[in-house]
Amino acid sequence: MVVGVMGAMPEEIGPILSRLKNVQKHEVADNIYYTALYGSLDLVVAYSKIGKVFSALTAATMIEKFGVRRMLFSGVAGAISAELHIGDLIAATKLCQHDLDITAFGHPYGYVPEGKVFVEADPHLLELAAKVAYDRGVKLKRGVIATGDQFVADEARKKWIGKTFGADALEMEGAAVAVVCDALKVPFFILRAISDAADMDAGFDFDAFLQSSSQKSADFLFAMLDALDQAQ
Ligand code: ADE
């Protein structure tokens, strides 16, 4: 099975690439895609660059050009829920775009005609993640992730996103990957480790914890790859 492993930034994908052998590089559409065999899995790994447009392009390229049939995303997020702390893992049950706004035409936030506010992650991959977490004694929370083309470092904006979408965490790519995978019928799983609380300290915390939280997310993602390999 061809499995896509995405992140947004080099720091998110580095810990995954460093564990693969005989990695091949491919340049497509202004980005680099790394392919490698991992057990029975054909992996395609890439960081997209930050934001919804770049991540949608990378997800679509992985699916259409590389034949990806399962998509896994690993990276960091800002916490909205007070129950999420730096380093905690959250798997998205569903994702939305918090910055999508045509409310002027009477639509709800996050909605455009023929779209939907929430895109749901694959229940089988979520179940597999729960089993991996249980087997390894790792705490994995589930929740709603809100995506937007904004680094949120503002208590009021964060609260608004939490209240409007019932979101537990926020980041800048997940919902874009979700929309692409949903449209192209590829089951997906979005995993994030908390790097900051999307508050006025967020910029500082993000820099301080990007590496360690990326590593935590990547470690869990690798365990998911082992489980997927064994399930083959
Ligand atoms: N990813 C990690 N922290 C974030 C934040 N505060 N805003 C947007 N994306 C993030």
Side-chain angles (χ1 to χ4, degrees):
M1 181 167 54
V2 188
V3 178
V5 179
M6 276 185 71
M9 301 171 69
E11 291 84 349
E12 292 172 325
I13 280 311
I16 290 160
L17 282 178
S18 66
R19 288 172 65 167
L20 300 175
K21 295 192 184 85
N22 300 323
V23 176
Q24 314 254 17
K25 261 167 101 170
H26 314 259
E27 207 180 320
V28 182
D30 217 14
N31 202 6
I32 297 169
Y33 293 80
Y34 301 89
T35 55
L37 265 178
Y38 185 69
S40 63
L41 306 176
D42 276 306
L43 299 186
V44 185
V45 183
Y47 71 88
S48 58
K49 300 186 280 285
I50 294 166
K52 293 195 294 181
V53 173
F54 283 132
S55 56
L57 173 62
T58 297
T61 302
M62 279 195 175
I63 295 166
E64 293 293 300
K65 292 246 187 240
F66 290 89
V68 158
R69 290 295 167 262
R70 293 286 181 284
M71 184 73 80
L72 310 178
F73 190 106
S74 177
V76 299
I80 299 175
S81 162
E83 282 169 33
L84 284 170
H85 303 103
I86 287 169
D88 285 355
L89 291 169
I90 176 167
T93 50
K94 57 182 184 176
L95 301 102
C96 60
Q97 298 179 62
H98 67 71
D99 58 349
L100 190 54
D101 180 357
I102 56 163
T103 54
F105 299 94
H107 295 295
Y109 286 105
Y111 178 83
V112 291
E114 297 179 54
K116 44 194 172 189
V117 176
F118 293 103
V119 181
E120 302 205 349
D122 181 58
H124 304 292
L125 288 172
L126 279 168
E127 209 173 292
L128 187 73
K131 189 177 173 321
V132 167
Y134 179 81
D135 289 348
R136 301 199 169 221
V138 174
K139 227 165 82 183
L140 173 69
K141 291 184 174 136
R142 286 184 184 193
V144 177
I145 291 185
T147 300
D149 283 324
Q150 301 167 347
F151 184 84
V152 178
D154 178 76
E155 197 73 43
R157 176 73 189 159
K158 154 183 150 165
K159 285 218 166 91
W160 181 86
I161 294 167
K163 203 173 78 179
T164 306
F165 298 99
D168 299 290
L170 55 84
E171 36 82 311
M172 302 180 69
E173 297 83 21
V177 174
V179 169
V180 169
C181 290
D182 189 50
L184 296 172
K185 311 266 182 292
V186 170
F188 68 91
F189 175 75
I190 310 283
L191 177 72
R192 297 281 185 167
I194 299 301
S195 57
D196 59 85
D199 55 10
M200 64 185 222
D201 297 325
F204 178 83
D205 287 343
F206 180 87
D207 282 342
F209 296 106
L210 170 62
Q211 196 134 7
S212 59
S213 291
S214 291
Q215 182 73 53
K216 280 190 180 158
S217 181
D219 287 346
F220 191 89
L221 198 108
F222 235 95
M224 290 273 296
L225 292 176
D226 286 329
L228 276 175
D229 178 34
Q230 277 154 30
Q232 283 270 88

